[in-house]
Amino acid sequence: MGKTIFDKIWDAHVVKKIEDGPSVLYIDKHLIHEVTSPQAFSGMEKRGAPLFRPQQIVATADHNVPTINQHLPIADQLSKFQVDTLIENCKKHGVELYGLGHPYQGIVHVIGPELGITQPGMTIVCGDSHTSTHGAFGSIAFGIGTSEVEMVFASQCVMQTKPKVMRINIEGEIQKGVVSKDIILYIIAKISASGATGYFVEYAGSAIRALSMEARMTICNMSIEMGARGGIIAPDETTYAYMKGRMFAPQGADWENKLAYWKTLFTDADAKFDQEINIDAAQIQPMITYGTNPGMGLSVTGTVPTLESMTDATEKQNFEKAMQYMGLTPGQTLLGMPVQHVFIGSCTNSRIEDFRLVASIIKGKKKDPSVQTLIVPGSQEVAKQIKAEGLDKIFEEAGIPIRQAGCSACLGMNEDKIPAGQYCISTSNRNFEGRQGAGARTLLASPLTAAAALLTGKITDIRTLLN
Amino acid sequence: MQSLQKITSRFVPLRIENVDTDQIIPARFLKATTKEGFGKNLFRDWRYENDDESQPKKDFVLNQSQYSGDILVAAKNFGCGSSREHAAWSIQDYGFKVVVSSFFADIFKNNALNNGVLPVTVTDAFLQQIFVQDATATLTVDLEKQTITIDATGASEQFEINAYKKTCMLNGYDDIDYLLSIRNEIEQFEQAKK
């Protein structure tokens, strides 16, 4: 029987399988950041054991960093201490750090791919659930906890039970005004926030093949929001074209050798999946979430569900809790509802292509004065490219400042937060209660839908703004 | 890691689905560089009005004095979202040794196991049976036999745990000791891979 791409990569990385237990899985690349690494470093120090393969680790500071005035010391003392601890730990243990002020600094899932660190066929982990992003390159990439970060420090391995595999086939052409964020929000709304728990998901089909690398990363990024360990897309010419010439991508003969291997990374025709889902790309409309988990999404022109549509008592109770938190009424439409904030950023949608999309909508126009903005490139490199392409001028003319790289308002950990009770259209990945700040009301959407709200101050169907 | 064999305790019922790790421990508490002291901020924003410990929310289960015990029982898809192990640390630091649900998110499950907190997956029907018990009811979780029992009714169910993780929990072993012990094999694997 044939193998899935997931099986091929997994099998090539199993050091040993423990009987009736997990596998010892070898990790090619370990990405770390300031929040989930300090306890792992101190754990190693308590054991008196050196890091096993420090040269396979790359560190950056992203969650805790301010997104303005990065040249100044971090004002929040706890954040500063955590970032300083990372600097100290990296120095002490010989780990490469792209910290604040470094030209490669940025959100860990943005910099890995853009520097060519992320490559097909690799196993990649990070103490961050959105590590699934890197699966867009045909790698097995997944988020781990801090104990597992320590395991990789100790042995360059993690103990993992092999997940089941699911394939989601998306065939056909997407409509104008629909982008990859809508595809993934549509899938999560369809299968729920736990619909892929226990699975690793391969995305396939003509609609996926047609996507750029940035768009593929957005899809793989949100795999975790339906519970999946990770998402993976087989590499192809789009992948190789994106990677070629990047800083840490293979060069010369090494490139040719690796390329030959990468071309073997696809799912065999007779491979079996534990579950398959087929989606017609043409059915997908611009999406938005209305609730407090990413599965609570609908088409931007749709209506919020009603209590009558639910049978289960706990489901009803949870739905009512979400409605109360969001300040919404069952059965209402969202279209035309005012929003006070727009956040464009996060590891889901802060890449150059996202800024190009937004710029294409706001070009020559002015921001609605009622809206406050947080527009945050994913990395220093993205910020540089925004300037190089002149996109910064378009934002400036629209009255929208561009900030500096970091996780920003995705997670209410740094200074960028949404005030309680206010609505934010956000290109990030989670609409959990309090995610963007205590009491903040998050509406997840695509960069296009966010751009529309920049201009109108309301939830808007982007298709009405396209010629 | 603390070992765990068998436990009989009252339980705290959290009848909420899709409890994400941002609720278990909000991001603003992740700035610590040690594992200690997270329990006081467990479910912080569900527990207190205005982030103020002097204003407990009366309708939240951790603030209802009739409920106590070493076991937390939650509705399905517990621990979804962020991979933050701080969620497991806060549950452990608060004093829970077992979390029962009909469905756990993968990363949380691993994080719990790596910290000596036992995730017990039960059927939806059994979960409902637990939820209808009164506050004085106790549950017995026997890891060796892999059973969970509602002591008042005698209703019992088997739960799954892989043999390796079970051994770790029963004895308080951790994966890192094991991985350190097989560094030679890992080096051989690296050589063969080249």
Side-chain angles (χ1 to χ4, degrees):
Chain A
M1 198 179 75
K3 281 182 163 189
T4 67
I5 178 175
F6 176 80
D7 291 329
K8 289 179 184 177
I9 302 170
W10 178 276
D11 293 350
H13 288 83
V14 173
V15 175
K16 67 190 286 186
K17 165 88 174 74
I18 294 167
E19 207 184 322
D20 270 338
S23 295
V24 177
L25 191 72
Y26 190 80
I27 300 304
D28 295 314
K29 207 46 95 173
H30 185 193
L31 307 171
I32 64 169
H33 60 79
E34 76 277 18
V35 181
T36 57
S37 65
Q39 295 87 351
F41 277 113
S42 53
M44 288 300 290
E45 284 168 13
K46 269 185 213 149
R47 288 169 203 271
L51 268 57
F52 186 56
R53 295 288 178 254
Q55 71 281 11
Q56 283 169 243
I57 309 172
V58 174
T60 193
D62 53 6
H63 285 63
N64 258 312
V65 304
T67 58
I68 48 168
N69 295 325
Q70 288 184 346
H71 61 288
L72 299 176
I74 300 175
D76 181 301
Q77 286 309 300
L78 285 174
S79 295
K80 182 175 185 303
F81 184 70
Q82 206 173 46
V83 171
D84 288 347
T85 301
L86 180 72
I87 296 169
E88 199 179 307
N89 279 330
C90 287
K91 198 185 281 174
K92 204 181 331 176
H93 295 277
V95 172
E96 184 79 35
L97 168 67
Y98 304 139
L100 265 188
H102 193 285
Y104 299 164
Q105 181 267 338
I107 304 175
V108 63
H109 310 308
V110 175
I111 68 170
E114 89 188 349
L115 294 172
I117 293 168
T118 302
Q119 295 171 18
M122 279 183 166
T123 48
I124 302 171
V125 293
C126 175
D128 190 292
S129 60
H130 293 110
T131 308
S132 57
T133 312
H134 307 264
F137 290 78
S139 61
I140 291 184
F142 55 91
I144 56 176
T146 298
S147 294
E148 293 166 313
V149 171
E150 193 176 335
M151 287 179 210
V152 186
F153 283 170
S155 67
Q156 205 55 34
C157 290
V158 284
M159 312 278 283
Q160 289 288 307
T161 305
K162 192 176 183 180
K164 293 181 280 187
V165 280
M166 177 191 292
R167 181 161 61 186
I168 301 181
N169 302 295
I170 305 142
E171 295 290 350
E173 263 185 60
I174 49 174
Q175 295 179 31
K176 201 171 177 188
V178 171
V179 291
S180 69
K181 181 64 165 287
D182 300 304
I183 298 176
I184 190 65
L185 285 173
Y186 178 88
I187 295 170
I188 302 167
K190 201 177 165 82
I191 74 169
S192 92
S194 58
T197 302
Y199 290 90
F200 216 94
V201 176
E202 178 178 353
Y203 301 96
S206 57
I208 296 293
R209 298 257 74 89
L211 296 175
S212 68
M213 287 317 293
E214 286 88 347
R216 293 179 191 184
M217 284 188 249
T218 300
I219 290 190
C220 288
N221 172 276
M222 288 191 73
S223 302
I224 182 71
E225 307 312 335
M226 50 189 175
R229 278 324 302 274
I232 189 166
I233 295 173
D236 59 10
E237 293 305 323
T238 305
T239 320
Y240 314 139
Y242 177 96
M243 289 185 61
K244 190 143 188 149
R246 292 200 180 252
M247 182 68 65
F248 298 106
Q251 316 282 336
D254 188 26
W255 170 269
E256 294 305 325
N257 287 337
K258 292 262 170 59
L259 187 64
Y261 167 59
W262 296 343
K263 288 186 172 174
T264 68
L265 298 173
F266 55 85
T267 290
D268 297 329
D270 57 344
K272 290 274 184 296
F273 287 85
D274 298 290
Q275 197 181 337
E276 282 209 69
I277 293 172
N278 294 302
I279 285 169
D280 175 5
Q283 297 299 314
I284 304 170
Q285 300 193 33
M287 296 288 292
I288 192 157
T289 63
Y290 61 88
T292 51
N293 74 58
M296 300 172 92
L298 44 79
S299 128
V300 72
T301 56
T303 54
V304 174
T306 58
L307 272 173
E308 291 71 42
S309 67
M310 292 164 206
T311 49
D312 181 79
T314 315
E315 188 190 359
K316 277 188 182 176
Q317 200 184 335
N318 286 303
F319 174 72
E320 283 183 308
K321 188 174 189 292
M323 288 293 101
Q324 196 186 2
Y325 182 84
M326 293 299 293
L328 298 175
T329 314
Q332 80 164 88
T333 54
L334 297 181
L335 217 52
M337 211 178 84
V339 295
Q340 293 76 45
H341 301 265
V342 174
F343 169 47
I344 296 172
S346 87
C347 57
T348 312
N349 283 115
S350 65
R351 298 180 179 82
I352 188 63
E353 186 180 88
D354 300 311
F355 288 90
R356 288 185 194 133
L357 274 176
V358 175
S360 74
I361 301 299
I362 63 168
K363 189 171 186 177
K365 302 195 173 79
K366 288 270 181 251
K367 173 186 86 73
D368 186 278
S370 69
V371 178
Q372 295 186 50
T373 65
L374 287 163
I375 311 297
V376 190
S379 68
Q380 304 295 344
E381 189 61 34
V382 171
K384 205 168 96 185
Q385 207 170 339
I386 286 172
K387 283 209 176 78
E389 295 184 16
L391 304 180
D392 57 325
K393 296 280 179 306
I394 296 173
F395 280 89
E396 199 182 307
E397 280 161 22
I400 303 167
I402 295 177
R403 300 172 75 92
Q404 290 172 293
C407 294
S408 185
C410 177
L411 87 164
M413 183 157 188
N414 49 68
E415 296 162 352
D416 303 348
K417 291 189 180 79
I418 307 302
Q422 301 196 5
Y423 291 98
C424 178
I425 289 208
S426 177
T427 67
S428 57
N429 39 58
R430 287 185 176 138
N431 51 355
F432 298 151
E433 285 183 32
R435 174 79 181 181
Q436 295 192 291
R441 292 165 166 168
T442 306
L443 307 154
L444 301 177
S446 78
L448 281 181
T449 301
L454 283 174
L455 299 179
T456 62
K458 297 182 177 76
I459 298 175
T460 304
D461 183 350
I462 180 64
R463 292 169 297 190
T464 62
L465 300 185
L466 300 171
N467 318 324
Chain B
M1 199 173 82
Q2 281 272 312
S3 67
L4 189 146
Q5 289 92 24
K6 187 174 174 180
I7 187 170
T8 295
S9 168
R10 282 159 67 159
F11 63 93
V12 176
L14 183 64
R15 293 179 183 82
I16 302 174
E17 292 179 355
N18 300 313
V19 174
D20 59 76
T21 53
D22 274 87
Q23 307 318 314
I24 299 172
I25 184 81
R28 61 184 186 279
F29 300 112
L30 308 189
K31 296 178 185 183
T33 51
T34 64
K35 296 182 184 182
E36 288 77 39
F38 286 99
K40 67 178 192 297
N41 297 319
L42 174 67
F43 295 118
R44 178 84 189 191
D45 292 335
W46 285 350
R47 230 162 121 188
Y48 304 115
E49 296 286 358
N50 307 314
D51 203 8
D52 179 353
E53 283 164 44
S54 69
Q55 300 179 52
K57 293 184 181 175
K58 290 191 180 64
D59 59 349
F60 188 62
V61 71
L62 288 190
N63 297 326
Q64 296 171 338
S65 57
Q66 70 269 36
Y67 296 112
S68 63
D70 301 339
I71 302 175
L72 176 67
V73 182
K76 74 175 178 202
N77 199 25
F78 187 81
C80 59
S82 157
S83 61
R84 60 188 69 165
E85 193 158 317
H86 313 68
W89 298 335
S90 59
I91 285 171
Q92 184 195 46
D93 188 52
Y94 186 84
F96 292 118
K97 297 186 170 70
V98 174
V99 184
V100 179
S101 178
S102 55
F103 199 93
F104 286 96
D106 283 333
I107 302 179
F108 175 80
K109 200 189 328 189
N110 278 347
N111 286 343
L113 286 166
N114 286 333
N115 287 281
V117 173
L118 179 66
V120 173
T121 307
V122 296
T123 61
D124 283 318
F126 195 80
L127 188 70
Q128 292 316 315
Q129 286 182 48
I130 298 174
F131 278 147
V132 299
Q133 301 300 311
D134 66 40
T136 60
T138 57
L139 302 174
T140 296
V141 174
D142 187 330
L143 177 56
E144 183 57 56
K145 292 185 184 148
Q146 295 180 226
T147 57
I148 174 167
T149 307
I150 302 171
D151 298 316
T153 65
S156 188
E157 222 178 54
Q158 287 271 321
F159 62 87
E160 294 290 320
I161 180 170
N162 74 50
Y164 168 82
K165 273 292 170 195
K166 182 175 169 177
T167 307
C168 290
M169 288 288 282
L170 286 170
N171 298 293
Y173 298 157
D174 82 22
D175 285 348
I176 299 164
D177 294 331
Y178 173 74
L179 287 167
L180 285 169
S181 76
I182 62 160
R183 271 182 170 188
N184 278 343
E185 284 177 68
I186 295 166
E187 275 172 2
Q188 283 165 20
F189 175 88
E190 286 176 325
Q191 287 306 319
K193 201 163 169 271
K194 276 178 188 164

